Amino acid sequence: MLGKKKEEKKTNVIVWVLAIIGAVAAVAAIAYAVYRYMQPDYLDDFDDDFDDDFDDDLFEDEDEDTPEE
């Protein structure tokens, strides 16, 4: 009779530990989902030709600044 009570108590502690870990994981997953939903995605608005526009202007300015021979 005494052995059965110890075994039942041991499994009860394991169940509580797993329940607490599961609850923390669920809260973390919900917090991450809310963060991802609220955070704007700036990569969708990024223009791939952005660098090309400035490179062309840079080379045009260098050509104008060089003295003519």
Side-chain angles (χ1 to χ4, degrees):
M1 181 84 173
L2 187 62
K4 191 174 183 181
K5 285 273 192 185
K6 261 190 173 181
E7 186 177 318
E8 184 178 313
K9 188 174 184 180
K10 184 177 179 182
T11 57
N12 194 17
V13 171
I14 292 172
V15 168
W16 272 105
V17 169
L18 291 176
I20 291 171
I21 291 172
V24 170
V27 169
I30 291 170
Y32 179 74
V34 169
Y35 167 76
R36 291 294 293 173
Y37 179 74
M38 299 298 264
Q39 187 72 16
D41 191 14
Y42 293 117
L43 292 177
D44 288 341
D45 297 335
F46 185 74
D47 186 13
D48 291 333
D49 297 331
F50 183 73
D51 294 333
D52 294 339
D53 294 339
F54 286 108
D55 289 342
D56 294 340
D57 293 341
L58 180 66
F59 291 124
E60 287 173 6
D61 290 344
E62 288 178 355
D63 292 339
E64 292 173 4
D65 291 339
T66 57
E68 294 184 24
E69 295 177 19

